[in-house]
Amino acid sequence: MQHAPDSPDQLPPTPDYDAWPVETRLSTVEHQPHLVTLHWQDGRTSHYHSIWLRENAADDSTVNPATRERTLDLSRLGAWPTVEAARLDDTGALSVTFAPEQRTLRFHPGWLRAHDYSNTEHIDAPLVPVTVWTGDRHDAPHSLDAAGWLEREPEAPDAQALLESALTAVLSHGLVRLRNLPTEPGTLARIAERIGPLRSTNFGSLFDVRAKPDPDSNAYTSIALPPHVDLPTREYQPGLQLLHCLENSVAGGQAVMMDGFAVAEALRERDPYAFETLTRVKWCYANTARTSDYVWYAPMIRRDDSGRLSEVRIADFLRGPLMAPFDDVEPAYAALTTLQRMLHEPHFAMRFTYHPGDLVIFDNRRLLHARDAFAGDSGQRWLQGCYLERDEIRSRLRMLRRAERERRVASLVTGDTPTL
Ligand SMILES: [Fe+2]
């Protein structure tokens, strides 16, 4: 946190709660009315627009120091903010005098370096690069030993390191397995809350996956479940699913995981028309239970604004009647059956057995999960599950990285080597 009062003999505050180590210093500054050009000691040159700098100042005419939220309304400045003077001050910070306000504002060099948009090629790059996988290369999820993890304070460095490894795996591969956790019912909530708040649904905050009388989902039986995502019937299907194994002594019931992005990529390669059809035609997803009636229409494969795969909605047992333009119906079914055949190809699937104390965290809008049938009278199979949003995992990972940067800032002040 660097929001101390803006004193000329110390680095200025930043418009956030983060820590920005100054690992490269500024050497010179040039300016034009609409532009500031910074030269760094490692040879990099960065350009910043005057209006961008003005709105990203950290003083109390721009942000509320109590919340770090912007209070400045650019349209109230009277004219386009321009640079009248720009220099480096004695602390190494950038100092800019803006017209028409005649206001001099200072900028933290570590923050400027981290937000150097003139040298950033992929502004919206994911926090962790996505690695698409097929099951024939993995016989189990990436696994971490979480014995004792819950007994340690969440802020303990080794507890944070385990969480960071887990979250990084979920963002890259869509999946991680924590092992050797306690098996008391309800433990899952304590684990999930180390990431973020749970998303409650009509199945509850925590749901029990086990065969039960009068089931309201195929999940609560002993029959096989085909590869699927959960709750595609919602406008916004949950981003993450956590499943914690409390008991598993049945014959059968092996878990199956499959990277939906790998299947979608393979479909795009083999049958581009089918792929395009599934990104365009809206299917009906319906979960019409006795006490609720969720229905949503959406394409089966979605890309984000940059063209990257962002979501699959595959759950054959939750599809309602297709209500598409007449001429789309046969192409849609042709594409669907091509995709369904691919889901049966064994090389996409990773198969493993849950052991009590195992917990998997997976991206429910990317990975498909399935289960083999099990013999209901052969023992007990009890998983507890819950949902979170992708936002929670990204926020938590940013917080863990912030803690690392705070340690780096502290080490730069003391001269100690950071322990990361
Ligand atoms: Fe499921």
Side-chain angles (χ1 to χ4, degrees), residues 314-363:
I314 296 169
D316 213 40
F317 53 95
L318 293 173
R319 276 196 303 101
L322 175 62
M323 301 291 285
F326 197 82
D327 290 342
D328 280 342
V329 170
E330 287 200 331
Y333 276 109
L336 172 70
T337 50
T338 299
L339 179 78
Q340 302 276 57
R341 275 194 295 274
M342 291 173 68
L343 298 181
H344 293 296
E345 293 177 17
H347 68 101
F348 285 116
M350 172 198 292
R351 311 182 81 84
F352 59 98
T353 299
Y354 286 122
H355 294 285
D358 284 353
L359 175 135
V360 291
I361 307 173
F362 58 95
D363 184 332

CSV table of all heavy atoms in Angstrom, one decimal, residues 314-363:
chain,number,residue,atom,x,y,z
A,314,ILE,N,-22.0,-27.6,-22.5
A,314,ILE,CA,-22.3,-28.9,-23.0
A,314,ILE,C,-22.8,-29.7,-21.8
A,314,ILE,O,-22.2,-29.9,-20.7
A,314,ILE,CB,-21.0,-29.6,-23.5
A,314,ILE,CG1,-20.4,-28.8,-24.7
A,314,ILE,CG2,-21.2,-31.1,-23.8
A,314,ILE,CD1,-19.0,-29.2,-25.1
A,315,ALA,N,-24.1,-30.2,-21.9
A,315,ALA,CA,-24.7,-31.0,-20.9
A,315,ALA,C,-25.9,-31.6,-21.6
A,315,ALA,O,-27.0,-31.0,-21.6
A,315,ALA,CB,-25.1,-30.2,-19.7
A,316,ASP,N,-25.8,-32.7,-22.2
A,316,ASP,CA,-26.8,-33.2,-23.0
A,316,ASP,C,-28.1,-33.5,-22.3
A,316,ASP,O,-29.2,-33.3,-22.8
A,316,ASP,CB,-26.4,-34.6,-23.7
A,316,ASP,CG,-27.0,-34.7,-25.1
A,316,ASP,OD1,-27.0,-33.7,-25.8
A,316,ASP,OD2,-27.4,-35.8,-25.4
A,317,PHE,N,-28.0,-33.8,-21.0
A,317,PHE,CA,-29.3,-34.1,-20.3
A,317,PHE,C,-30.0,-32.9,-19.8
A,317,PHE,O,-31.0,-33.0,-19.2
A,317,PHE,CB,-28.9,-35.1,-19.1
A,317,PHE,CG,-27.8,-34.6,-18.2
A,317,PHE,CD1,-28.1,-33.9,-17.0
A,317,PHE,CD2,-26.5,-34.8,-18.4
A,317,PHE,CE1,-27.1,-33.4,-16.2
A,317,PHE,CE2,-25.5,-34.4,-17.6
A,317,PHE,CZ,-25.8,-33.7,-16.5
A,318,LEU,N,-29.4,-31.7,-20.1
A,318,LEU,CA,-30.0,-30.4,-19.7
A,318,LEU,C,-30.4,-29.6,-20.9
A,318,LEU,O,-30.6,-28.4,-20.7
A,318,LEU,CB,-29.1,-29.6,-18.7
A,318,LEU,CG,-28.8,-30.3,-17.4
A,318,LEU,CD1,-27.8,-29.5,-16.6
A,318,LEU,CD2,-30.1,-30.4,-16.5
A,319,ARG,N,-30.5,-30.2,-22.0
A,319,ARG,CA,-30.9,-29.5,-23.2
A,319,ARG,C,-32.5,-29.6,-23.3
A,319,ARG,O,-33.0,-30.7,-23.2
A,319,ARG,CB,-30.3,-30.0,-24.5
A,319,ARG,CG,-28.9,-29.4,-24.7
A,319,ARG,CD,-28.4,-29.6,-26.1
A,319,ARG,NE,-28.3,-31.0,-26.5
A,319,ARG,CZ,-29.2,-31.6,-27.3
A,319,ARG,NH1,-30.3,-30.9,-27.7
A,319,ARG,NH2,-29.0,-32.8,-27.5
A,320,GLY,N,-33.1,-28.5,-23.6
A,320,GLY,CA,-34.5,-28.4,-23.9
A,320,GLY,C,-34.7,-28.5,-25.4
A,320,GLY,O,-33.8,-28.6,-26.2
A,321,PRO,N,-35.9,-28.2,-25.8
A,321,PRO,CA,-36.2,-28.3,-27.3
A,321,PRO,C,-35.5,-27.1,-28.0
A,321,PRO,O,-35.6,-26.0,-27.6
A,321,PRO,CB,-37.7,-28.1,-27.4
A,321,PRO,CG,-38.3,-28.1,-26.0
A,321,PRO,CD,-37.1,-28.0,-25.0
A,322,LEU,N,-34.8,-27.5,-29.1
A,322,LEU,CA,-34.1,-26.4,-29.9
A,322,LEU,C,-35.2,-25.6,-30.5
A,322,LEU,O,-36.1,-26.1,-31.1
A,322,LEU,CB,-33.3,-27.1,-30.9
A,322,LEU,CG,-32.6,-26.2,-32.0
A,322,LEU,CD1,-31.6,-25.3,-31.3
A,322,LEU,CD2,-31.9,-27.1,-33.0
A,323,MET,N,-35.1,-24.2,-30.4
A,323,MET,CA,-36.0,-23.3,-30.9
A,323,MET,C,-35.2,-22.3,-31.8
A,323,MET,O,-35.0,-21.2,-31.5
A,323,MET,CB,-36.8,-22.5,-29.8
A,323,MET,CG,-37.5,-23.4,-28.9
A,323,MET,SD,-39.0,-24.2,-29.7
A,323,MET,CE,-40.1,-22.8,-29.8
A,324,ALA,N,-34.7,-22.8,-32.9
A,324,ALA,CA,-33.8,-22.1,-33.8
A,324,ALA,C,-34.5,-21.7,-35.1
A,324,ALA,O,-35.5,-22.3,-35.4
A,324,ALA,CB,-32.5,-22.9,-34.0
A,325,PRO,N,-33.9,-20.7,-35.8
A,325,PRO,CA,-34.5,-20.5,-37.2
A,325,PRO,C,-34.5,-21.8,-38.0
A,325,PRO,O,-33.6,-22.6,-37.9
A,325,PRO,CB,-33.5,-19.5,-37.8
A,325,PRO,CG,-32.9,-18.8,-36.6
A,325,PRO,CD,-32.9,-19.8,-35.5
A,326,PHE,N,-35.6,-22.0,-38.7
A,326,PHE,CA,-35.9,-23.2,-39.4
A,326,PHE,C,-34.7,-23.8,-40.1
A,326,PHE,O,-34.4,-25.0,-40.0
A,326,PHE,CB,-37.1,-23.0,-40.3
A,326,PHE,CG,-37.7,-24.3,-40.8
A,326,PHE,CD1,-38.7,-25.0,-40.0
A,326,PHE,CD2,-37.4,-24.9,-42.0
A,326,PHE,CE1,-39.3,-26.1,-40.4
A,326,PHE,CE2,-37.9,-26.1,-42.4
A,326,PHE,CZ,-38.9,-26.7,-41.6
A,327,ASP,N,-34.0,-23.0,-40.9
A,327,ASP,CA,-32.9,-23.5,-41.7
A,327,ASP,C,-31.6,-23.8,-40.9
A,327,ASP,O,-30.7,-24.4,-41.4
A,327,ASP,CB,-32.5,-22.4,-42.8
A,327,ASP,CG,-33.6,-22.3,-43.8
A,327,ASP,OD1,-34.4,-23.2,-43.9
A,327,ASP,OD2,-33.6,-21.3,-44.5
A,328,ASP,N,-31.6,-23.4,-39.6
A,328,ASP,CA,-30.5,-23.7,-38.8
A,328,ASP,C,-30.6,-25.1,-38.1
A,328,ASP,O,-29.6,-25.6,-37.6
A,328,ASP,CB,-30.3,-22.7,-37.7
A,328,ASP,CG,-29.6,-21.4,-38.2
A,328,ASP,OD1,-29.0,-21.5,-39.2
A,328,ASP,OD2,-29.8,-20.4,-37.5
A,329,VAL,N,-31.8,-25.7,-38.1
A,329,VAL,CA,-32.0,-26.9,-37.3
A,329,VAL,C,-31.2,-28.0,-37.7
A,329,VAL,O,-30.5,-28.7,-36.9
A,329,VAL,CB,-33.5,-27.2,-37.3
A,329,VAL,CG1,-33.7,-28.6,-36.6
A,329,VAL,CG2,-34.3,-26.1,-36.5
A,330,GLU,N,-31.2,-28.4,-39.0
A,330,GLU,CA,-30.4,-29.6,-39.4
A,330,GLU,C,-28.9,-29.3,-39.2
A,330,GLU,O,-28.2,-30.2,-38.7
A,330,GLU,CB,-30.8,-30.0,-40.8
A,330,GLU,CG,-32.2,-30.7,-40.8
A,330,GLU,CD,-32.4,-31.6,-42.0
A,330,GLU,OE1,-31.9,-31.3,-43.0
A,330,GLU,OE2,-33.2,-32.5,-41.8
A,331,PRO,N,-28.4,-28.2,-39.7
A,331,PRO,CA,-26.9,-27.9,-39.5
A,331,PRO,C,-26.6,-28.0,-38.0
A,331,PRO,O,-25.5,-28.5,-37.6
A,331,PRO,CB,-26.7,-26.5,-40.0
A,331,PRO,CG,-27.8,-26.4,-41.1
A,331,PRO,CD,-29.0,-27.1,-40.5
A,332,ALA,N,-27.5,-27.5,-37.1
A,332,ALA,CA,-27.2,-27.5,-35.7
A,332,ALA,C,-27.1,-28.9,-35.2
A,332,ALA,O,-26.2,-29.2,-34.4
A,332,ALA,CB,-28.3,-26.7,-34.9
A,333,TYR,N,-28.0,-29.7,-35.5
A,333,TYR,CA,-28.0,-31.1,-35.1
A,333,TYR,C,-26.8,-31.9,-35.7
A,333,TYR,O,-26.2,-32.7,-35.0
A,333,TYR,CB,-29.3,-31.9,-35.4
A,333,TYR,CG,-30.4,-31.6,-34.3
A,333,TYR,CD1,-31.5,-30.8,-34.6
A,333,TYR,CD2,-30.3,-32.1,-33.1
A,333,TYR,CE1,-32.5,-30.6,-33.7
A,333,TYR,CE2,-31.2,-31.9,-32.1
A,333,TYR,CZ,-32.3,-31.1,-32.4
A,333,TYR,OH,-33.3,-30.9,-31.4
A,334,ALA,N,-26.4,-31.6,-36.9
A,334,ALA,CA,-25.3,-32.2,-37.5
A,334,ALA,C,-24.0,-31.8,-36.7
A,334,ALA,O,-23.2,-32.7,-36.4
A,334,ALA,CB,-25.1,-31.8,-39.0
A,335,ALA,N,-23.9,-30.6,-36.4
A,335,ALA,CA,-22.7,-30.1,-35.6
A,335,ALA,C,-22.7,-30.7,-34.2
A,335,ALA,O,-21.7,-31.2,-33.7
A,335,ALA,CB,-22.7,-28.6,-35.5
A,336,LEU,N,-23.9,-30.8,-33.6
A,336,LEU,CA,-24.0,-31.4,-32.3
A,336,LEU,C,-23.6,-32.8,-32.3
A,336,LEU,O,-22.8,-33.3,-31.4
A,336,LEU,CB,-25.5,-31.3,-31.8
A,336,LEU,CG,-25.8,-32.0,-30.5
A,336,LEU,CD1,-25.2,-31.3,-29.3
A,336,LEU,CD2,-27.3,-32.1,-30.3
A,337,THR,N,-24.1,-33.6,-33.2
A,337,THR,CA,-23.7,-35.0,-33.2
A,337,THR,C,-22.2,-35.2,-33.5
A,337,THR,O,-21.6,-36.2,-33.0
A,337,THR,CB,-24.6,-35.8,-34.2
A,337,THR,OG1,-24.6,-35.2,-35.5
A,337,THR,CG2,-26.0,-35.9,-33.7
A,338,THR,N,-21.6,-34.4,-34.3
A,338,THR,CA,-20.2,-34.4,-34.6
A,338,THR,C,-19.5,-34.2,-33.2
A,338,THR,O,-18.5,-34.9,-32.9
A,338,THR,CB,-19.7,-33.4,-35.6
A,338,THR,OG1,-20.4,-33.7,-36.8
A,338,THR,CG2,-18.2,-33.4,-35.8
A,339,LEU,N,-19.9,-33.2,-32.5
A,339,LEU,CA,-19.3,-32.9,-31.2
A,339,LEU,C,-19.5,-34.1,-30.2
A,339,LEU,O,-18.6,-34.5,-29.5
A,339,LEU,CB,-19.9,-31.6,-30.6
A,339,LEU,CG,-19.4,-31.2,-29.2
A,339,LEU,CD1,-18.0,-30.6,-29.4
A,339,LEU,CD2,-20.3,-30.3,-28.5
A,340,GLN,N,-20.7,-34.6,-30.2
A,340,GLN,CA,-21.0,-35.7,-29.3
A,340,GLN,C,-20.2,-36.9,-29.5
A,340,GLN,O,-19.7,-37.6,-28.6
A,340,GLN,CB,-22.5,-36.1,-29.4
A,340,GLN,CG,-23.5,-35.0,-29.1
A,340,GLN,CD,-23.8,-34.8,-27.6
A,340,GLN,OE1,-22.8,-34.6,-26.8
A,340,GLN,NE2,-25.0,-34.8,-27.2
A,341,ARG,N,-19.9,-37.2,-30.8
A,341,ARG,CA,-19.1,-38.3,-31.1
A,341,ARG,C,-17.7,-38.1,-30.6
A,341,ARG,O,-17.0,-39.0,-30.1
A,341,ARG,CB,-19.0,-38.5,-32.7
A,341,ARG,CG,-20.1,-39.4,-33.2
A,341,ARG,CD,-19.9,-39.9,-34.6
A,341,ARG,NE,-19.9,-38.8,-35.6
A,341,ARG,CZ,-20.9,-38.3,-36.2
A,341,ARG,NH1,-22.1,-38.8,-35.9
A,341,ARG,NH2,-20.8,-37.3,-37.0
A,342,MET,N,-17.2,-36.8,-30.7
A,342,MET,CA,-15.9,-36.5,-30.2
A,342,MET,C,-15.8,-36.7,-28.7
A,342,MET,O,-14.7,-37.1,-28.1
A,342,MET,CB,-15.5,-35.1,-30.6
A,342,MET,CG,-15.3,-34.9,-32.1
A,342,MET,SD,-15.0,-33.2,-32.6
A,342,MET,CE,-13.4,-32.9,-31.8
A,343,LEU,N,-16.8,-36.4,-28.0
A,343,LEU,CA,-16.8,-36.6,-26.5
A,343,LEU,C,-16.6,-38.1,-26.1
A,343,LEU,O,-16.2,-38.4,-25.0
A,343,LEU,CB,-18.1,-36.1,-25.9
A,343,LEU,CG,-18.4,-34.6,-26.1
A,343,LEU,CD1,-19.7,-34.2,-25.4
A,343,LEU,CD2,-17.3,-33.7,-25.6
A,344,HIS,N,-16.9,-39.0,-27.1
A,344,HIS,CA,-16.7,-40.4,-26.8
A,344,HIS,C,-15.3,-40.9,-27.1
A,344,HIS,O,-14.9,-42.0,-26.8
A,344,HIS,CB,-17.7,-41.3,-27.6
A,344,HIS,CG,-19.1,-41.1,-27.2
A,344,HIS,ND1,-19.6,-41.5,-25.9
A,344,HIS,CD2,-20.2,-40.6,-27.8
A,344,HIS,CE1,-20.9,-41.2,-25.8
A,344,HIS,NE2,-21.3,-40.6,-26.9
A,345,GLU,N,-14.5,-40.0,-27.7
A,345,GLU,CA,-13.1,-40.4,-28.1
A,345,GLU,C,-12.3,-40.5,-26.8
A,345,GLU,O,-12.2,-39.5,-26.1
A,345,GLU,CB,-12.5,-39.4,-29.0
A,345,GLU,CG,-13.2,-39.4,-30.4
A,345,GLU,CD,-12.6,-38.4,-31.3
A,345,GLU,OE1,-11.5,-37.8,-31.1
A,345,GLU,OE2,-13.3,-38.0,-32.3
A,346,PRO,N,-11.7,-41.6,-26.5
A,346,PRO,CA,-11.1,-41.8,-25.2
A,346,PRO,C,-9.9,-40.9,-24.9
A,346,PRO,O,-9.6,-40.5,-23.8
A,346,PRO,CB,-10.6,-43.2,-25.2
A,346,PRO,CG,-11.0,-43.8,-26.5
A,346,PRO,CD,-11.7,-42.8,-27.3
A,347,HIS,N,-9.2,-40.4,-26.0
A,347,HIS,CA,-8.0,-39.6,-25.7
A,347,HIS,C,-8.3,-38.2,-25.1
A,347,HIS,O,-7.4,-37.6,-24.5
A,347,HIS,CB,-7.2,-39.5,-27.0
A,347,HIS,CG,-7.8,-38.6,-28.0
A,347,HIS,ND1,-7.4,-37.3,-28.3
A,347,HIS,CD2,-8.8,-38.8,-28.9
A,347,HIS,CE1,-8.1,-36.8,-29.2
A,347,HIS,NE2,-9.0,-37.7,-29.7
A,348,PHE,N,-9.5,-37.7,-25.2
A,348,PHE,CA,-9.8,-36.4,-24.6
A,348,PHE,C,-9.9,-36.6,-23.0
A,348,PHE,O,-9.7,-35.6,-22.3
A,348,PHE,CB,-11.1,-35.9,-25.1
A,348,PHE,CG,-11.0,-35.3,-26.5
A,348,PHE,CD1,-11.7,-35.8,-27.5
A,348,PHE,CD2,-10.2,-34.2,-26.7
A,348,PHE,CE1,-11.6,-35.3,-28.8
A,348,PHE,CE2,-10.0,-33.6,-28.0
A,348,PHE,CZ,-10.8,-34.2,-29.0
A,349,ALA,N,-10.3,-37.8,-22.6
A,349,ALA,CA,-10.7,-38.0,-21.2
A,349,ALA,C,-9.5,-38.3,-20.2
A,349,ALA,O,-8.7,-39.1,-20.6
A,349,ALA,CB,-11.7,-39.0,-21.1
A,350,MET,N,-9.5,-37.7,-19.1
A,350,MET,CA,-8.6,-38.1,-18.0
A,350,MET,C,-9.5,-38.8,-16.9
A,350,MET,O,-10.6,-38.3,-16.6
A,350,MET,CB,-8.1,-36.8,-17.3
A,350,MET,CG,-7.3,-37.0,-16.1
A,350,MET,SD,-7.1,-35.5,-15.1
A,350,MET,CE,-6.0,-34.6,-16.2
A,351,ARG,N,-9.1,-40.0,-16.5
A,351,ARG,CA,-9.9,-40.8,-15.6
A,351,ARG,C,-9.1,-41.0,-14.3
A,351,ARG,O,-7.9,-41.3,-14.4
A,351,ARG,CB,-10.2,-42.2,-16.2
A,351,ARG,CG,-10.8,-42.1,-17.6
A,351,ARG,CD,-11.1,-43.5,-18.1
A,351,ARG,NE,-12.4,-44.0,-17.6
A,351,ARG,CZ,-13.5,-43.6,-18.1
A,351,ARG,NH1,-13.6,-42.9,-19.2
A,351,ARG,NH2,-14.7,-44.0,-17.6
A,352,PHE,N,-9.8,-40.9,-13.2
A,352,PHE,CA,-9.1,-41.1,-11.9
A,352,PHE,C,-10.2,-41.4,-10.9
A,352,PHE,O,-11.4,-41.2,-11.1
A,352,PHE,CB,-8.3,-39.9,-11.5
A,352,PHE,CG,-9.0,-38.6,-11.4
A,352,PHE,CD1,-9.5,-38.1,-10.2
A,352,PHE,CD2,-9.3,-37.8,-12.5
A,352,PHE,CE1,-10.2,-37.0,-10.0
A,352,PHE,CE2,-10.1,-36.7,-12.4
A,352,PHE,CZ,-10.5,-36.2,-11.2
A,353,THR,N,-9.7,-41.9,-9.7
A,353,THR,CA,-10.6,-42.3,-8.7
A,353,THR,C,-10.5,-41.3,-7.5
A,353,THR,O,-9.3,-41.0,-7.1
A,353,THR,CB,-10.3,-43.7,-8.2
A,353,THR,OG1,-10.4,-44.6,-9.3
A,353,THR,CG2,-11.2,-44.1,-7.0
A,354,TYR,N,-11.6,-40.8,-7.0
A,354,TYR,CA,-11.5,-39.9,-5.8
A,354,TYR,C,-11.2,-40.7,-4.6
A,354,TYR,O,-11.8,-41.8,-4.3
A,354,TYR,CB,-12.9,-39.3,-5.6
A,354,TYR,CG,-13.2,-38.2,-6.6
A,354,TYR,CD1,-14.4,-38.3,-7.3
A,354,TYR,CD2,-12.4,-37.1,-6.7
A,354,TYR,CE1,-14.7,-37.3,-8.2
A,354,TYR,CE2,-12.8,-36.1,-7.6
A,354,TYR,CZ,-13.9,-36.2,-8.3
A,354,TYR,OH,-14.2,-35.2,-9.2
A,355,HIS,N,-10.3,-40.2,-3.8
A,355,HIS,CA,-10.0,-40.8,-2.5
A,355,HIS,C,-10.5,-39.8,-1.4
A,355,HIS,O,-10.4,-38.6,-1.6
A,355,HIS,CB,-8.5,-41.0,-2.3
A,355,HIS,CG,-8.0,-42.1,-3.2
A,355,HIS,ND1,-8.2,-43.4,-3.0
A,355,HIS,CD2,-7.3,-42.0,-4.4
A,355,HIS,CE1,-7.6,-44.1,-4.0
A,355,HIS,NE2,-7.1,-43.3,-4.9
A,356,PRO,N,-11.0,-40.3,-0.3
A,356,PRO,CA,-11.4,-39.4,0.8
A,356,PRO,C,-10.3,-38.4,1.1
A,356,PRO,O,-9.1,-38.8,1.3
A,356,PRO,CB,-11.7,-40.4,2.0
A,356,PRO,CG,-12.1,-41.7,1.3
A,356,PRO,CD,-11.2,-41.8,0.1
A,357,GLY,N,-10.6,-37.1,1.2
A,357,GLY,CA,-9.6,-36.1,1.5
A,357,GLY,C,-9.2,-35.4,0.2
A,357,GLY,O,-8.5,-34.4,0.3
A,358,ASP,N,-9.6,-35.9,-1.0
A,358,ASP,CA,-9.3,-35.3,-2.2
A,358,ASP,C,-10.3,-34.2,-2.5
A,358,ASP,O,-11.5,-34.3,-2.2
A,358,ASP,CB,-9.4,-36.2,-3.4
A,358,ASP,CG,-8.2,-37.2,-3.5
A,358,ASP,OD1,-7.3,-37.0,-2.8
A,358,ASP,OD2,-8.3,-38.1,-4.4
A,359,LEU,N,-9.8,-33.1,-3.1
A,359,LEU,CA,-10.7,-32.0,-3.5
A,359,LEU,C,-10.2,-31.5,-4.9
A,359,LEU,O,-9.0,-31.3,-5.1
A,359,LEU,CB,-10.6,-30.9,-2.5
A,359,LEU,CG,-11.4,-29.6,-2.9
A,359,LEU,CD1,-12.2,-29.1,-1.7
A,359,LEU,CD2,-10.5,-28.5,-3.4
A,360,VAL,N,-11.1,-31.5,-5.8
A,360,VAL,CA,-10.8,-30.9,-7.1
A,360,VAL,C,-11.5,-29.6,-7.3
A,360,VAL,O,-12.6,-29.4,-6.8
A,360,VAL,CB,-11.2,-31.9,-8.3
A,360,VAL,CG1,-10.4,-33.1,-8.3
A,360,VAL,CG2,-12.7,-32.2,-8.3
A,361,ILE,N,-10.7,-28.7,-7.9
A,361,ILE,CA,-11.2,-27.3,-8.2
A,361,ILE,C,-11.1,-27.3,-9.7
A,361,ILE,O,-10.0,-27.5,-10.3
A,361,ILE,CB,-10.4,-26.2,-7.6
A,361,ILE,CG1,-10.3,-26.4,-6.1
A,361,ILE,CG2,-11.0,-24.8,-7.9
A,361,ILE,CD1,-9.3,-25.4,-5.4
A,362,PHE,N,-12.2,-27.0,-10.4
A,362,PHE,CA,-12.1,-26.9,-11.9
A,362,PHE,C,-13.0,-25.8,-12.4
A,362,PHE,O,-14.0,-25.4,-11.8
A,362,PHE,CB,-12.4,-28.3,-12.5
A,362,PHE,CG,-13.8,-28.9,-12.2
A,362,PHE,CD1,-14.9,-28.7,-13.1
A,362,PHE,CD2,-14.0,-29.6,-11.1
A,362,PHE,CE1,-16.1,-29.2,-12.8
A,362,PHE,CE2,-15.2,-30.2,-10.8
A,362,PHE,CZ,-16.3,-30.0,-11.7
A,363,ASP,N,-12.6,-25.4,-13.6
A,363,ASP,CA,-13.3,-24.3,-14.3
A,363,ASP,C,-14.6,-24.9,-15.0
A,363,ASP,O,-14.5,-25.7,-15.9
A,363,ASP,CB,-12.4,-23.7,-15.4
A,363,ASP,CG,-13.0,-22.5,-16.1
A,363,ASP,OD1,-14.3,-22.5,-16.2
A,363,ASP,OD2,-12.3,-21.7,-16.6
